[in-house]
Amino acid sequence: MTILVLSLGGGGGNILRSVKALFRHDLAAVQQTDAEYAERLRRSVTTRFLDTNEFSTSDVPVEERVIIGATTTRRLGSRHDPEVARRALEESKAEVEALLEPHQVVILIGTGGKGTGAGTILPIAQLARQARKLVIPIFVRPSFEWHEVEKRRYDHALTISQQFDAAGIRLIEILNDRGYSSADPQPQTRVWERMNRPIARGLRGLLYVLSDLSQVDPSDLSMLFAGAGRLRIGFAEIDPPDGGEPTEEQVEKAVNVCWSNPYSLFSKPVGTSLVCIQGQWSNVVDGRLKGGLAALATAGAGNATYNPLHAFAPDAPKPWGITGLFAEYTGNHPPLEIAWPDVRAFRQSSAMSSAARPAGAGVGTEVDGDVLPTPVATAEHRQRPSPPGEVPVPRSFSTLWELALAVNRGDKAGRAIAADGATCDIPIEATEVRKLVGTVWFRSVFQYLSQRWRDRLLDLLLDDITIRNHLVGEGRRAVRLSRLSGEELKHVAIDLLVPEDVRTDVQLLAAITQLWGGEALGRIRFDPEDQPATTSRLDALLQPFRH
């Protein structure tokens, strides 16, 4: 996956500078512990500063500047006129399309205070959507009440939001009004810094997820961003003592901070959302974080639309925490058509890049002209190089979960064990298998498991579970779970009217089908069909009218 983070105009450029500073800091930290992972991250993310005023990008490396409309504006700016910026974009349309082309994800950052951001953010978002990119626009609406802009420019900013809605493109809309407080007056630069921080920190977490699709299904992302409406991004840091777990108070505070970004416009119930947990926490902490957000998202009588997608970034450098990208529920929409990368071509390209790297190329990693030092191997990390053709001696893993994490991050010893499956003595419990099967990232691990491993895990799982043969709605008919195909199970799993206890069973069946194929469904034990059918949420609502 390749991600383009593109600022539009001076205001968007200031936000991108904050994002870029955090990302460079992360790369330097990761470089010390995992140079290969740092290099993969660096290759995945491209930053560019688009503007009509060449002077506003004077502190940006030349290769990151995208100056549009040289004839229209003479590189001197759009004169605070969005229409001039739009004409400048039309003049440089071919150049911008070429910039978008190699990337699967495009993050746009613009403000409505002047001309370039206001005049280009929607047209470029539409260009990206037409090219089947996943586009995430971040638009900052200026304040009229606090005299950042006059009424004419404020009204124009309002029309931009309406045009995004009409185009069916979701956006993160930041309201500068909410950065002011009569009770706590602050310098303007500090206000903007305070408002930029949640965006920069939140994007930092998203970059880890979007750069590695093993953490979340592309089809789920196509659903998350479908339709019109607002997105809200949030981040909360969790900083327990070294080697310790976060306390319940720290978890509760993190959940509340991640949930309540006060600067975002967000007025509807929460729908499909992405939650990324960064840090090497226990499953208990993970559960508390996810459960806390779910409790906030589903509070209230009408908020039964929350559908979280969970992702993990255990290798992310500190500060660890939790990132949320919450989407307003605006109805059911067909998934977006996104040109996702071919995973086979991606793997082949990665392998060729590794093979083609010169022997001395690992001396350092260049990031915007700076060379990050290659870590010096400590006693714990030094390993005897294996002779040609010899498979590295697998180190032991205490649990299946630990092994799966190692395989997912490309650990050679872990993948050697995954490819074997005959001599492994790792204790395996059915509950752990079920938990892994329910995660999105285990699907990328599964491809590395030998047939012995796959058979062993499936046998253990099926020996432990018995599924209640619920009666569910599929289209206009009521069908028992045992009669549904894998494709039908996937549809039922995202039906918002399906009760939660039924959905849990359906999601497990759908995951088993996706991993082991439809034949595995025939081996699953179901409770007898003569049990009372589960009452759906819709049935419960209609019950009073049937007497």
Side-chain angles (χ1 to χ4, degrees):
M1 279 288 287
T2 57
I3 304 164
L4 173 66
V5 188
L6 178 65
S7 66
L8 311 171
N14 290 333
I15 298 174
L16 180 53
R17 286 175 177 86
S18 298
V19 174
K20 186 178 169 184
L22 286 174
F23 189 64
R24 289 180 59 187
H25 177 271
D26 285 359
L27 281 179
V30 176
Q31 182 75 22
Q32 299 302 313
T33 57
D34 191 338
E36 184 177 342
Y37 183 47
E39 173 64 14
R40 192 175 74 188
L41 280 176
R42 188 190 67 80
R43 290 199 308 265
S44 297
V45 180
T46 300
T47 55
R48 292 292 183 267
F49 295 76
L50 181 146
D51 215 318
T52 53
N53 177 8
E54 192 168 25
F55 291 98
S56 71
T57 62
S58 59
D59 64 330
V60 174
V62 174
E63 65 273 12
E64 294 193 41
R65 303 176 193 174
V66 182
I67 309 302
I68 61 170
T71 301
T72 303
T73 68
R74 294 187 297 169
R75 300 175 179 264
L76 298 176
S78 62
R79 304 190 295 276
H80 291 194
D81 187 339
E83 184 55 40
V84 172
R86 194 172 292 110
R87 293 202 303 270
L89 175 61
E90 190 61 34
E91 177 188 333
S92 303
K93 182 178 178 181
E95 180 184 353
V96 173
E97 288 177 331
L99 174 64
L100 301 177
E101 196 277 330
H103 305 284
Q104 287 81 41
V105 179
V106 177
I107 300 174
L108 303 175
I109 308 174
T111 65
K114 297 183 181 179
T116 302
T120 61
I121 189 166
L122 177 65
I124 293 180
Q126 290 175 315
L127 286 177
R129 177 64 64 83
Q130 290 164 8
R132 298 170 62 208
K133 312 296 182 185
L134 182 67
V135 59
I136 308 175
I138 302 173
F139 179 66
V140 181
R141 188 201 299 178
S143 172
F144 169 67
E145 180 182 353
W146 293 95
H147 307 287
E148 286 183 355
V149 294
E150 70 273 21
K151 186 70 163 59
R152 176 174 59 88
R153 289 203 177 95
Y154 178 77
D155 289 343
H156 181 269
L158 291 179
T159 66
I160 292 174
S161 306
Q162 296 164 1
Q163 290 168 13
F164 268 103
D165 289 338
I169 301 176
R170 291 188 181 271
L171 76 156
I172 299 171
E173 187 170 7
I174 308 298
L175 306 183
N176 270 4
D177 273 339
R178 298 182 181 179
Y180 293 84
S181 171
S182 299
D184 182 26
Q186 298 286 340
Q188 183 68 67
T189 54
R190 186 169 298 175
V191 171
W192 283 337
E193 179 185 352
R194 188 168 55 193
M195 298 182 70
N196 288 348
R197 191 178 300 116
I199 302 174
R201 285 292 189 194
L203 284 179
R204 170 186 182 268
L206 286 183
L207 291 178
Y208 281 97
V209 176
L210 296 176
S211 64
D212 181 2
L213 285 181
S214 68
Q215 288 294 306
V216 63
D217 280 0
S219 58
D220 289 336
L221 293 176
S222 297
M223 294 295 296
L224 191 159
F225 290 94
R230 299 297 175 271
L231 299 162
R232 183 176 71 218
I233 194 169
F235 171 81
E237 183 176 333
I238 305 175
D239 187 23
D242 287 342
E245 288 272 88
T247 64
E248 291 189 31
E249 291 75 16
Q250 287 177 310
V251 169
E252 182 179 0
K253 180 180 178 182
V255 165
N256 289 325
V257 170
C258 179
W259 173 258
S260 56
N261 182 340
Y263 310 117
S264 292
L265 178 64
F266 200 93
S267 57
K268 294 181 172 62
V270 186
T272 300
S273 301
L274 178 63
V275 176
C276 175
I277 297 174
Q278 300 138 53
Q280 297 172 2
W281 318 121
S282 70
N283 57 353
V284 173
V285 173
D286 289 350
R288 287 174 178 162
L289 290 169
K290 293 184 289 188
L293 286 176
L296 293 173
T298 57
N303 293 347
T305 54
Y306 181 55
N307 178 32
L309 311 173
H310 295 127
F312 299 88
D315 295 323
K318 292 184 176 180
W320 287 340
I322 182 170
T323 298
L325 183 66
F326 306 100
E328 288 182 336
Y329 178 73
T330 56
N332 294 319
H333 307 285
L336 297 176
E337 288 291 334
I338 304 296
W340 300 109
D342 186 325
V343 68
R344 292 164 298 181
F346 173 77
R347 286 189 196 124
Q348 183 180 7
S349 173
S350 299
M352 291 174 63
S353 298
S354 300
R357 190 178 297 128
V363 174
T365 301
E366 185 176 346
V367 182
D368 303 335
D370 296 337
V371 176
L372 305 178
T374 295
V376 178
T378 62
E380 301 86 62
H381 292 93
R382 289 192 186 100
Q383 294 183 353
R384 174 184 62 84
S386 302
E390 179 181 316
V391 178
V393 177
R395 65 182 180 87
S396 62
F397 296 89
S398 57
T399 65
L400 178 64
W401 186 273
E402 183 184 343
L403 171 64
L405 287 175
V407 173
N408 191 46
R409 65 173 177 262
D411 182 273
K412 292 181 179 178
R415 291 193 176 176
I417 294 176
D420 177 13
T423 59
C424 175
D425 58 355
I426 297 174
I428 301 175
E429 297 181 1
T431 53
E432 193 172 33
V433 178
R434 180 164 183 166
K435 180 184 175 184
L436 279 169
V437 168
T439 65
V440 294
W441 57 270
F442 184 67
R443 296 164 196 174
S444 64
V445 173
F446 192 81
Q447 63 189 322
Y448 294 101
L449 298 180
S450 67
Q451 191 60 48
R452 290 195 181 196
W453 264 113
R454 298 182 184 190
D455 293 343
R456 180 182 178 188
L457 297 183
L458 181 62
D459 291 343
L460 191 65
L461 183 62
L462 296 185
D463 286 345
D464 184 71
I465 63 171
T466 299
I467 302 294
R468 183 174 179 182
N469 207 5
H470 303 283
L471 189 65
V472 297
E474 167 57 23
R476 297 185 177 182
R477 60 193 182 118
V479 189
R480 297 283 179 181
L481 285 187
S482 59
R483 306 294 177 87
L484 293 178
S485 66
E487 194 64 30
E488 290 169 333
L489 286 167
K490 288 173 61 177
H491 292 151
V492 174
I494 61 173
D495 186 343
L496 295 174
L497 293 177
V498 174
E500 196 59 37
D501 61 327
V502 180
R503 188 193 309 278
T504 300
D505 288 341
V506 173
Q507 289 174 338
L508 175 61
L509 294 175
I512 290 173
T513 306
Q514 185 169 6
L515 294 173
W516 283 279
E519 298 81 5
L521 284 179
R523 298 177 53 191
I524 292 174
R525 293 194 307 269
F526 290 92
D527 278 344
E529 295 186 2
D530 57 358
Q531 289 194 359
T534 302
T535 303
S536 72
R537 196 172 298 163
L538 182 60
D539 285 337
L541 292 173
L542 296 177
Q543 194 62 34
F545 301 98
R546 292 175 174 163
H547 299 286

